[in-house]
Amino acid sequence: MRKPLMAGNWKMYKTPAETASFFEKFLPLVANSPHCDVLICPPFVDIAAAVAAAKGSSVAVGGQNLYWSTKEGAFTGEVSGPMLKAAGCASVIIGHSERRQYFGETDETVLKRTLAALESGLQPIVCVGERLEEREAGRTNAVLETQFRDGISKLTPEQFAKVVIAYEPVWAIGTGKTATPEMAADAHRALRALVQGAYGKDAAAAVRILYGGSVKPDNVKGLMAQPEIDGALVGGASLEAVSFASIVNF
Ligand code: PGA
């Protein structure tokens, strides 16, 4: 059985003070939610506030990106895996479509960052997903295959066992257009088949695949009713405590 993971991706929202007040409201609302793992990925500058606020709770904190060198060095503006780990992070999002679209992220750099996360003891949450024109051209599965092949298929089985995959159709992110539960489940099945091809049946049965893209309190139930969907990566609806808690408590 795969335990669901509900992960909030705060993107470039909230200050440290706003982070603290989110946790004050959020923690009591998810205090009795042992059915799933809960993760908040705030901006780097809010990680200390989030880790302090989450102390003693079961809510974990993660980064939204990391640099692929695990050694400190002259890389202005970058943050390393060991730094995230030392700051109290458990996980890190890698290859989010906004990173791919606006910041030059490629399957190759996704792989490098995934290796750095693993080397740092962080759980990588690796994002894949097609753009609207790719879906309309019937290329969804081909795109997922390329992203998988050139990215996380190159890990060892031991490394892969620590990875969470997030299927995030780019056209559904921040647009209010959610994939239907069936569309999402189809893509998850395609991804699981790729995992099976590369790592075998047990790895395919074990890997958690999250859905991301306009997950809201009113559509999470339908998505989670699909056995293929093991949780959600939530942007906008994770910013407000009551909203994200109702997603966690789907
Ligand atoms: P959204 O973002 O929930 O605001 O669509 C999801 C994501 O980008 O991870």
Side-chain angles (χ1 to χ4, degrees), residues 25 31 59 77 94 104 118 120 133 158 163 170 185 201 207 233 242 248-249:
K25 271 195 233 157
V59 176
I94 295 172
L118 290 165
S120 312
E133 58 272 29
E158 293 69 32
V163 168
V170 178
K201 233 183 159 92
V207 66
L233 183 53
V242 172
V248 168
N249 297 317

Side-chain angles (χ1 to χ4, degrees), residues 9 11 96 98 168 172-174 213-215 233-236:
N9 171 15
K11 309 192 179 185
H96 189 279
E98 286 152 16
E168 296 215 310
I173 295 175
S214 297
V215 175
L233 183 53
V234 185

